[in-house]
Amino acid sequence: MSFSRASLFDFPLLKPLVLSHPSSVFSCRRFVTRTVPGLSPAVLLPTRPTQIIAKSSSVTVQPVSEDASEDHHHHQSEDVSGDSIRRRFLDFYASRGHKVLPSASLVPEDPTVLLTIAGMLQFKPVFLGKVPREVPCATTAQRCIRTNDLENVGRTARHHTFFEMLGNFSFGDYFKREAIRWAWELSTVEFGLPADRVWVSIYQDDDEAFEIWKNEVGVPVERIKRMGEADNFWTSGPTGPCGPCSELYYDFYPERGTGDDVDLGDDSRFIEFYNLVFMQYNKTEEGLLEPLKQKNIDTGLGLERIAQILQKVPNNYETDLIYPIIAKVLELANISYDSADEKAKTSLKVIADHMRAVVYLISDGVVPSNIGRGYVVRRLIRRAVRKGKSLGIDGDGKGSLKGAFLPTVAEKVIEMSAYIDSDVKQKSPRILEEIRQEELHFKKTLERGEKLLDQKLLDALSTSDKTPCISGKDAFILYDTYGFPVEITAEVAEERGVSIDMDGFEVEMENQRRQSQAAHNVVKLTVEDGDDITRDIDDTEFLGYDSLSARAVVKSLLVGGKPVIRVSEGSEVEILLDRTPFYAESGGQIADHGFMYVNSDGSQDDAVVEVSDVQKSLKIFVHKGVVKSGALEVGKEVEAAVDADLRQRAKVHHTATHLLQSALKKVVGQDTSQAGSLVAFDRLRFDFNFNRPLHDGELEEIECLINRWIGDATRLETKVLPLADAKRAGAIAMFGEKYDDEVRVVEVPGVSMELCGGTHVGNTAEIRAFKIISEQGIASGIRRIEAVAGEAFIEYINSRDSQMKRLCSTLKVKAEDVTNRVDNLLEELRTARKEASDLRSKAAVYRASVISNKAFTVGTSQTVRVLVESMDDTDADSLKSAAEHLVSTLEEPVAVVLGSCPDKDKVSLVAAFSPGVVSLGVQAGKFIGSIAKLCGGGGGGKPNFAQAGGRKPENLSSALEKAREELVATLSEKLG
């Protein structure tokens, strides 16, 4: 199987559709007799609720004849735009009882994957049986991101980073028969594909699917291909839900025949467009396949692929889903698509594809950075910038030659987003600004890359023991970090007589591909560590909002991830309770600390456990701690007690974080949004989207606002509301938090309202005071504020006061005079350093005067005075002063080369040539670079003056001798 399934997204135009087909009105299993061209009138086909007269339990399906294609022309006259195809797919399954659900975010709730890569991802808990199904079956159009085949984007007809997966899902409702028949009807009737052009593949042992395709649908045997486990058996991992799958392929060249040698993997003839996964087994650790109690259906139909087929274009990129973006790039590049060569067309496709991905990722809150999802965005933008450079795009196309061009392309993506994600247009200012800044930043990075390449070439040329060569690792760094295509690196290197280790480069590329595939293309449905323990344990009842201690029963104990019945003193243990006052780490807030006590007789503790961390697996709390004394057993009752002082610190910092977000929105703008947070006992940390550092005045205003709100002594209001009601009321969602249908809303009336499951103070006065201790950038477009409040504020102020007292004592001044005293000391230090530098320069000039008598002449009728000498340990600046002095005092024309070893592993070189020498065609910059290589370094400069350095002081003497010989030979030749 090569093509995975889809998930969910927000389509405004489908709201009436969803309302008109509520899942509560009808089941997925309802059919009515209806005549369809190419089908027997007796065939039972699913239809809308008002037409329901039968159920699938009584269905007898008649074969579909080859003549099903006769209706093809009728359907081809229908709207086959990408937006229409999406709507028709969802409408098709909505009319068959599926609930239309919105696309999930590209940032998944599932921690096992970096990005949403398939439509089934949001349903993973349902497939695992960890969450009860809310509807019997659903249909979605899911935005997806995959980067494991990045190098193929634009080169093949249908590889993308961003794509939409249309999917229909059954959660224990219907199974193979309905999934197969509906997929066939959708393809050949709704979309009108000629029946004789559709091939299917099945798992080699799936006789049930074979019988349905052959006898009930009527697909000829020669167009049903049995394939092996690698292609047609879907597994989520070593263990867990799995099952055979069946795929539909479209044949572009049916005239090539139907022999046994037909290969469905032949991309020049076939395109796989629909995949049906029959999730019917559970794979055990022993590798056995056990039938699932609830059989599920998970499908995916690629929107871009079916659009290519229906719109009759040669590749996905020329569909109306992508080509309008390419047209905008063509406009910026001032070229036509028909006249573009294959290399240019690849660049066009890459830019269009990557900008679709970037726009939707930024819309979903991912901004460029050097880690995780942010790096995906950064890398895609950088590839697009490089491709734009190769197309000769200069400027933004709006008059600014130094402007960014990608925002202009992104505007077209946003314009086309209405039926994919209605939020994109609303977020467009932030999206465009993030892209603009990243592009301009990367153009500067490219300049640095050029400098790095030059340094790598010099290093390669200075290595005398082998053929000059840039390592594969260095070439990959230039490619991956600085955006240099390896072809450009190779071209520049060849001009300098340097080769590239292409084999090493390919090794680095392959390593990255493997890491990318591991990070981006695996959906783990396997049960996580401990899930076999928690499967039969009820959700933990959280009591911590109202109480800091509670009696609870030990439901399970884990040591090293393995279940045990009893643990004794010194053991590190994970404890599962039926109820707990301990807050588990979530929403940026760290977990409570505290103790558990076992007291059997009411007088003496049988055991004491110190709890240092609490985590959640779904809604089961896992308390991590150490048995300090006694022993703990499963089934025992414990007294669980939270450390009240630490809880108060966390509450203070969490409420202060809410106030900080509100203050930021008031001071720097409502578009500012949270990008991460940490609520700890000693501080709070708040990351937010913003494109510049905050001024001191802004930070002071933020502090003043928050401290004023604290002083207002406002009581907080906490309530539980339906999610939709909370959002309508204006509640802000906390970054990274997951929400149920019922949500907890924490409000500071008139100041802040957020969806939050964290712990908070009862009154803002409990915060006492707030102080920002730092503000800095942590990634492109991401700023971070660290602050303290409450008890941590007092500790911070006391520590700073103690430091100031020590400083005053050392400087022997009052606190208010410290700044002036430090400024005076710095000025004195600068003066002393300048005086020392001047003295060193004067000493160097004096030494230069002493050695000036060593100058000799080259030539006969026309002569040049030459001086090549070592000046021992003279520093680089003083060496420059000495050379300049010699050129000005020795008779013109004159050439001076000086060298020194100012440190143990450092060489300094300088070349100073008078105008008369430069006029002969001898340039200091070019000359000194080759000499520096002998000392393990490089350098350059202007024709009349240049400096260089090296790392091999032991070679200075021979390098200066070489300089003397080459200078004499060159000047002798020039002078004739």
Side-chain angles (χ1 to χ4, degrees):
M1 186 188 70
S2 59
F3 194 48
S4 297
R5 288 96 18 233
S7 199
L8 14 148
F9 211 103
D10 194 3
F11 299 93
L13 68 87
L14 293 172
K15 289 179 182 176
L17 176 65
V18 176
L19 293 174
S20 66
H21 305 293
S23 60
S24 59
V25 175
F26 51 89
S27 164
C28 292
R29 303 179 180 224
R30 297 183 178 178
F31 298 81
V32 67
T33 302
R34 184 159 59 112
T35 301
V36 177
L39 294 180
S40 166
V43 173
L44 295 174
L45 290 179
T47 186
R48 299 182 182 276
T50 54
Q51 300 170 306
I52 296 171
I53 62 172
K55 293 190 176 182
S56 62
S57 58
S58 60
V59 170
T60 54
V61 186
Q62 299 296 324
V64 176
S65 73
E66 289 292 313
D67 295 331
S69 60
E70 69 189 40
D71 192 48
H72 175 60
H73 296 294
H74 166 72
H75 282 274
Q76 285 298 294
S77 65
E78 293 185 19
D79 183 2
V80 293
S81 68
D83 289 336
S84 174
I85 294 169
R86 185 192 304 109
R87 176 186 55 76
R88 289 166 64 187
F89 178 93
L90 296 171
D91 192 10
F92 179 90
Y93 281 104
S95 70
R96 286 149 181 81
H98 292 61
K99 178 70 177 290
V100 179
L101 295 177
S103 169
S105 168
L106 290 172
V107 179
E109 293 183 352
D110 190 324
T112 67
V113 286
L114 193 67
L115 295 164
T116 297
I117 60 173
M120 54 69 61
L121 200 57
Q122 69 165 315
F123 303 119
K124 171 181 173 179
V126 181
F127 288 141
L128 276 171
K130 301 295 290 184
V131 173
R133 71 180 191 181
E134 295 183 359
V135 294
C137 45
T139 182
T140 65
Q142 174 66 48
R143 297 163 298 162
C144 299
I145 294 281
R146 293 185 190 174
T147 59
N148 52 301
D149 289 318
L150 200 60
E151 297 305 315
N152 288 325
V153 172
R155 298 181 184 274
T156 69
R158 39 198 170 265
H159 273 97
H160 303 288
T161 54
F162 175 90
F163 58 95
E164 288 186 76
M165 192 71 81
L166 309 177
N168 56 287
F169 308 90
S170 168
F171 313 114
D173 191 76
Y174 63 84
F175 198 51
K176 282 186 190 178
R177 174 168 286 102
E178 295 90 338
I180 288 173
R181 292 193 62 261
W182 282 337
W184 182 262
E185 183 191 355
L186 176 80
S187 303
T188 61
V189 179
E190 175 61 36
F191 290 143
L193 299 182
D196 59 356
R197 286 198 172 200
V198 180
W199 293 59
V200 297
S201 67
I202 60 171
Y203 179 53
Q204 57 192 8
D205 297 332
D206 193 353
D207 295 332
E208 181 186 3
F210 178 82
E211 291 300 322
I212 295 171
W213 281 116
K214 175 179 176 290
N215 297 327
E216 298 185 24
V217 176
V219 178
V221 174
E222 60 268 22
R223 292 211 311 275
I224 304 174
K225 291 284 183 180
R226 291 182 183 263
M227 301 175 75
E229 185 173 335
D231 295 299
N232 277 69
F233 194 91
W234 184 82
T235 59
S236 59
T239 63
C242 58
C245 58
S246 184
E247 297 165 327
L248 282 71
Y249 293 79
Y250 185 77
D251 186 357
F252 290 104
Y253 298 100
E255 63 272 15
R256 294 183 184 175
T258 58
D260 292 338
D261 58 344
V262 171
D263 179 12
L264 293 180
D266 180 2
D267 285 345
S268 68
R269 176 176 175 179
F270 296 102
I271 180 174
E272 176 202 339
F273 65 91
Y274 206 174
N275 181 27
L276 319 176
V277 176
F278 312 126
M279 202 180 294
Q280 63 189 95
Y281 300 112
N282 178 58
K283 192 174 185 180
T284 67
E285 291 184 357
E286 293 75 27
L288 300 176
L289 297 179
E290 299 175 342
L292 288 174
K293 294 179 181 178
Q294 174 180 297
K295 295 181 179 180
N296 305 306
I297 289 294
D298 164 21
T299 81
L301 182 146
L303 177 59
E304 290 80 6
R305 297 189 180 198
I306 192 66
Q308 178 198 338
I309 298 169
L310 295 178
Q311 294 175 18
K312 299 181 179 179
V313 292
N315 56 70
N316 293 0
Y317 291 92
E318 295 183 37
T319 65
D320 71 332
L321 293 165
I322 304 175
Y323 190 78
I325 308 168
I326 291 177
K328 176 56 67 175
V329 184
L330 288 167
E331 180 185 322
L332 292 170
N334 196 27
I335 58 176
S336 71
Y337 192 74
D338 292 338
S339 64
D341 59 21
E342 286 307 309
K343 183 177 180 181
K345 284 184 177 178
T346 297
S347 295
L348 291 164
K349 293 171 183 176
V350 167
I351 294 171
D353 168 89
H354 287 11
M355 290 318 297
R356 289 213 303 165
V358 166
V359 164
Y360 289 104
L361 280 167
I362 295 177
S363 177
D364 280 354
V366 183
V367 294
S369 70
N370 286 328
I371 57 172
R373 302 178 184 100
Y375 181 67
V376 173
V377 176
R378 173 158 288 171
R379 191 172 177 214
L380 294 177
I381 290 176
R382 290 183 171 190
R383 292 191 87 238
V385 171
R386 292 202 312 267
K387 298 301 182 182
K389 188 174 183 181
S390 72
L391 291 171
I393 296 176
D394 192 11
D396 61 4
K398 299 179 180 180
S400 174
L401 294 179
K402 293 185 178 180
F405 82 94
L406 289 181
T408 304
V409 182
E411 286 175 350
K412 174 57 69 173
V413 179
I414 293 169
E415 180 186 318
M416 298 169 63
S417 69
Y419 298 126
I420 304 174
D421 181 3
S422 60
D423 289 340
V424 171
K425 193 170 186 66
Q426 180 184 346
K427 298 173 182 176
S428 61
R430 180 172 61 84
I431 295 170
L432 296 174
E433 181 59 21
E434 290 286 357
I435 294 171
R436 186 189 71 82
Q437 287 202 19
E438 184 64 21
E439 179 179 348
L440 295 179
H441 172 74
F442 181 50
K443 285 180 176 178
K444 294 179 182 178
T445 303
L446 273 175
E447 294 173 5
R448 293 197 297 271
E450 290 168 351
K451 293 177 182 176
L452 178 64
L453 173 58
D454 188 58
Q455 182 60 53
K456 294 299 180 185
L457 290 170
L458 286 173
D459 290 345
L461 289 167
S462 68
T463 305
S464 57
D465 58 344
K466 60 180 181 180
T467 304
C469 179
I470 291 180
S471 70
K473 186 173 184 179
D474 285 339
F476 181 75
I477 290 172
L478 284 162
Y479 164 80
D480 194 53
T481 304
Y482 293 92
F484 257 69
V486 71
E487 296 84 2
I488 293 179
T489 303
E491 185 179 331
V492 175
E494 185 180 357
E495 293 172 358
R496 303 281 288 273
V498 178
S499 63
I500 291 182
D501 176 12
M502 288 304 299
D503 290 340
F505 176 81
E506 288 300 330
V507 168
E508 295 294 329
M509 285 292 293
E510 183 58 32
N511 287 339
Q512 188 196 60
R513 287 191 192 102
R514 283 200 301 268
Q515 292 168 1
S516 180
Q517 287 170 344
H520 306 309
N521 204 29
V522 176
V523 179
K524 294 182 179 177
L525 282 180
T526 52
V527 179
E528 302 297 333
D529 287 345
D531 274 4
D532 55 330
I533 305 298
T534 64
R535 185 176 296 148
D536 299 322
I537 294 179
D538 294 333
D539 293 345
T540 309
E541 181 185 1
F542 178 58
L543 309 171
Y545 294 135
D546 304 312
S547 175
L548 295 181
S549 65
R551 302 295 295 178
V553 176
V554 177
K555 306 300 289 186
S556 180
L557 296 172
L558 300 166
V559 174
K562 303 297 183 183
V564 296
I565 300 299
R566 185 177 187 274
V567 288
S568 55
E569 184 174 328
S571 299
E572 293 185 1
V573 63
E574 295 179 341
I575 307 165
L576 279 61
L577 303 175
D578 62 339
R579 58 211 302 261
T580 183
F582 283 86
Y583 181 83
E585 180 179 328
S586 62
Q589 181 177 332
I590 66 172
D592 282 330
H593 293 187
F595 290 87
M596 291 184 192
Y597 305 96
V598 178
N599 191 337
S600 298
D601 58 11
S603 60
Q604 187 175 2
D605 294 327
D606 293 344
V608 177
V609 180
E610 183 175 6
V611 178
S612 58
D613 189 20
V614 187
Q615 298 292 324
K616 278 195 294 189
S617 175
L618 295 176
K619 294 183 180 181
I620 296 175
F621 287 49
V622 181
H623 306 75
K624 301 182 180 183
V626 175
V627 181
K628 306 301 288 185
S629 64
L632 184 63
E633 295 180 4
V634 173
K636 285 285 187 180
E637 188 177 63
V638 299
E639 177 73 23
V642 173
D643 185 315
D645 290 338
L646 294 182
R647 166 67 79 85
Q648 181 65 18
R649 284 170 171 261
K651 287 164 59 176
V652 161
H653 282 136
H654 205 151
T655 305
T657 301
H658 285 210
L659 299 181
L660 173 57
Q661 175 155 236
S662 292
L664 276 166
K665 287 181 177 293
K666 283 184 176 294
V667 174
V668 302
Q670 290 296 320
D671 287 341
T672 301
S673 60
Q674 184 177 343
S677 68
L678 171 69
V679 175
F681 304 132
D682 61 339
R683 72 193 190 285
L684 68 86
R685 188 178 72 211
F686 188 82
D687 300 340
F688 58 100
N689 297 306
F690 204 57
N691 53 26
R692 64 167 174 80
L694 269 63
H695 307 311
D696 289 343
E698 291 171 324
L699 294 173
E700 289 176 9
E701 186 177 353
I702 289 168
E703 277 187 356
C704 287
L705 261 176
I706 295 172
N707 282 308
R708 191 184 78 202
W709 291 333
I710 292 169
D712 288 341
T714 304
R715 288 191 61 79
L716 273 71
E717 296 179 2
T718 303
K719 62 189 78 172
V720 176
L721 297 172
L723 179 59
D725 291 349
K727 288 185 175 180
R728 275 195 295 271
I732 298 173
M734 293 292 285
F735 180 85
E737 190 72 27
K738 302 172 186 177
Y739 300 103
D740 296 326
D741 290 338
E742 295 284 325
V743 294
R744 186 168 181 263
V745 178
V746 177
E747 181 179 9
V748 182
V751 177
S752 166
M753 181 190 293
E754 299 192 16
L755 308 181
C756 183
T759 61
H760 290 270
V761 298
N763 188 301
T764 58
E766 293 180 46
I767 301 175
R768 299 165 71 183
F770 175 91
K771 179 67 181 175
I772 293 173
I773 57 178
S774 70
E775 190 275 340
Q776 61 182 324
I778 59 170
S780 177
I782 301 290
R783 309 296 301 176
R784 170 173 291 172
I785 285 178
E786 292 202 10
V788 289
E791 194 66 27
F793 169 86
I794 302 299
E795 292 170 353
Y796 175 79
I797 294 300
N798 287 341
S799 173
R800 287 302 175 99
D801 184 58
S802 176
Q803 292 168 11
M804 177 60 78
K805 286 177 179 176
R806 288 198 298 270
L807 189 58
C808 290
S809 176
T810 301
L811 298 176
K812 294 179 171 52
V813 294
K814 296 179 181 179
E816 56 268 26
D817 296 327
V818 165
T819 302
N820 288 336
R821 180 62 179 137
V822 171
D823 287 342
N824 291 336
L825 287 173
L826 288 174
E827 184 58 36
E828 290 173 11
L829 180 60
R830 281 191 289 268
T831 300
R833 284 177 173 172
K834 187 177 185 305
E835 289 174 353
S837 178
D838 291 342
L839 286 173
R840 287 194 298 270
S841 293
K842 288 177 181 178
V845 168
Y846 174 77
R847 292 171 69 184
S849 300
V850 172
I851 64 172
S852 63
N853 59 6
K854 294 185 179 182
F856 58 92
T857 60
V858 176
T860 51
S861 58
Q862 185 181 0
T863 61
V864 174
R865 296 183 68 79
V866 175
L867 179 63
V868 181
E869 290 294 332
S870 170
M871 292 189 66
D872 303 326
D873 60 353
T874 303
D875 65 272
D877 289 340
S878 299
L879 200 66
K880 175 185 177 183
S881 299
E884 290 171 340
H885 172 76
L886 288 167
V887 169
S888 65
T889 56
L890 290 172
E891 185 179 341
E892 160 81 4
V894 59
V896 175
V897 177
L898 301 176
S900 66
C901 299
D903 289 313
K904 182 177 66 172
D905 297 320
K906 188 174 182 181
V907 173
S908 291
L909 293 164
V910 64
F913 295 172
S914 69
V917 173
V918 174
S919 67
L920 293 174
V922 184
Q923 298 187 1
K926 292 183 178 178
F927 181 82
I928 201 66
S930 60
I931 302 303
K933 291 174 189 173
L934 301 176
C935 295
K942 299 177 181 178
N944 65 317
F945 186 85
Q947 286 181 286
R951 302 179 296 274
K952 299 178 179 177
E954 66 274 15
N955 293 350
L956 177 61
S957 178
S958 58
L960 290 175
E961 184 59 37
K962 180 70 171 178
R964 186 179 291 107
E965 293 174 1
E966 289 191 1
L967 199 52
V968 169
T970 302
L971 289 172
S972 297
E973 181 182 347
K974 298 290 185 180
L975 294 170

